[in-house]
Amino acid sequence: MKLWIQGARPKTLPAAIAPVVVGMACAQVENSAQNNWPNAFLALIVSLALQVAVNFANDYSDGIRGTDKNRVGPLRLVGSGAKKPADVKRATFLAFGVAAVFGFVLAATTSWWLLLVGGFCFLAGWYYTGGKNPYGYMGLGEVFVFVFFGVVATMGTTFVISETLTRQSFFASVVVGCLACALLAVNNLRDIAGDTVAGKRTLAVRIGETNARKFYVALFVVAGFAVALIGLSHPTGLIALLGLAAAARPIKRVVNGATGRELIEVLVMTGRVQIIVAITLSVGLLIN
C-alpha cells in the first residue's frame, strides 16, 4: 500500500484541490439561491481521482517506454520494477472509473454536456504519455495542464454548483492553471537530462534549461496579472497577491540553478504556494 501511495504522487494533489476550492469561492460570489453545494464535494472527488489516474497513467506509459529508467524524481512503480505494468494500468483505469462514476452524477444533476467534457478529460489524461504519439512528448503538456487543471477544473466546479460561467471564474482559472503548470514545469526542468536521452521532447527540453527556468518564473507573473484583473471588480481578491509572495523561495531556488533532487523540494514548495494562493484568493472573493 505504501508503494501505491507513493506511485499516486501525493505531492501533486494540490493541483486537484486548488481549482475546486477557488471554483467554490467563485460560485459563492454569485450568491445564488440555486447553488448546489453537495456538488462541490463530488467535484473534489472527480478532480482528485483524475489527478491520481493521470499520475498512474504517466507511470505506466513512461515505464514501458523506458523513459523512467534514469529518472531522478520520486518513485516510479513500473520504471523501478516495484509493480507490474499490468497492475499499474489497472490502477489507472480504476481511478478513471471513480472519476467517471461521480462525474456522471454531476452531469445528471446539472448538464449532460459534462459527459462530453469528462470524455475529453479522460482522453487528455491517457494520451499525455500514452498511445503512439503522446502529446507530452511533443512539448504540449503545459498547454493541456493549463486547460484541464486550470480552466476546466475551476470553471467546471463553479458551474456544477451554480450552473453559471462567469468572467471572474475564468480569471481565477488562469491563476490556478498557471500554478498547476508551475508544478509540471519543475518536474520537466528536473528531468531534462533523462528526457533528452529517452527522446521525450517536453517543453523544457525544447526551449532549454535557461528558458525553462524563465518560464517557471513567468507563470507566477501571469498569475499575478490575473489576480490584478480580478481585483478590478473584487478588490479584496488582491489578497491573493500576498499568497503569491510565498513563491519567492521556490523562484529563488530555480533562478539560482537548483538541479536534480533539489528540485524535488522546489516541487513541494510550489505545491504549498498553489494551496496558499487558492486559499487567499478564495478568502478575498468571499470577503468582497
Side-chain angles (χ1 to χ4, degrees):
M1 181 57 67
K2 183 179 179 181
L3 288 175
W4 283 115
I5 292 174
Q6 286 182 276
R9 305 180 205 173
K11 293 176 183 178
T12 66
L13 294 184
I17 298 171
V20 177
V21 172
V22 175
M24 288 171 61
C26 291
Q28 178 59 31
V29 166
E30 298 305 309
N31 198 27
S32 172
Q34 303 300 319
N35 281 356
N36 187 345
W37 290 108
N39 279 355
F41 176 69
L42 299 180
L44 179 61
I45 294 177
V46 171
S47 187
L48 288 169
L50 283 174
Q51 179 69 62
V52 172
V54 170
N55 289 342
F56 281 143
N58 293 348
D59 193 309
Y60 167 77
S61 297
D62 281 343
I64 62 175
R65 281 189 169 89
T67 307
D68 287 339
K69 184 177 294 185
N70 299 311
R71 188 174 292 276
V72 178
L75 173 74
R76 295 296 188 268
L77 299 175
V78 175
S80 67
K83 295 292 181 182
K84 296 179 181 178
D87 292 335
V88 177
K89 188 176 183 180
R90 276 192 289 269
T92 299
F93 286 102
L94 176 61
F96 275 133
V98 171
V101 169
F102 287 94
F104 182 85
V105 175
L106 286 173
T109 57
T110 54
S111 170
W112 291 111
W113 283 105
L114 287 180
L115 294 181
L116 181 61
V117 175
F120 281 120
C121 288
F122 295 156
L123 290 173
W126 178 254
Y127 287 105
Y128 172 50
T129 55
K132 293 182 179 179
N133 298 295
Y135 64 84
Y137 281 60
M138 296 185 287
L140 297 174
E142 284 79 359
V143 174
F144 282 79
V145 165
F146 179 83
V147 171
F148 288 99
F149 282 98
V151 178
V152 172
T154 306
M155 298 188 74
T157 299
T158 300
F159 180 79
V160 299
I161 296 171
S162 65
E163 295 193 40
T164 59
L165 296 174
T166 67
R167 182 178 62 179
Q168 297 309 320
S169 66
F170 172 71
F171 290 147
S173 74
V174 172
V175 178
V176 174
C178 285
L179 298 183
C181 284
L183 286 171
L184 181 58
V186 172
N187 269 322
N188 289 342
L189 176 62
R190 181 196 65 212
D191 297 331
I192 285 179
D195 287 342
T196 301
V197 173
K200 186 175 182 179
R201 301 274 296 167
T202 63
L203 180 62
V205 171
R206 285 179 175 273
I207 65 178
E209 181 179 332
T210 299
N211 287 328
R213 294 181 187 277
K214 292 178 180 178
F215 175 68
Y216 177 80
V217 177
L219 289 168
F220 291 100
V221 174
V222 175
F225 276 118
V227 170
L229 290 173
I230 293 172
L232 293 177
S233 57
H234 297 79
T236 53
L238 294 174
I239 293 173
L241 293 177
L242 297 177
L244 277 172
R249 285 187 63 203
I251 286 176
K252 183 178 179 180
R253 293 279 189 91
V254 170
V255 170
N256 287 343
T259 59
R261 295 193 176 278
E262 294 176 282
L263 289 172
I264 297 177
E265 185 177 354
V266 174
L267 174 65
V268 175
M269 294 165 68
T270 304
R272 289 191 193 127
V273 172
Q274 191 172 33
I275 290 297
I276 292 171
V277 172
I279 292 173
T280 52
L281 178 57
S282 299
V283 169
L285 288 171
L286 294 176
I287 290 176
N288 189 85

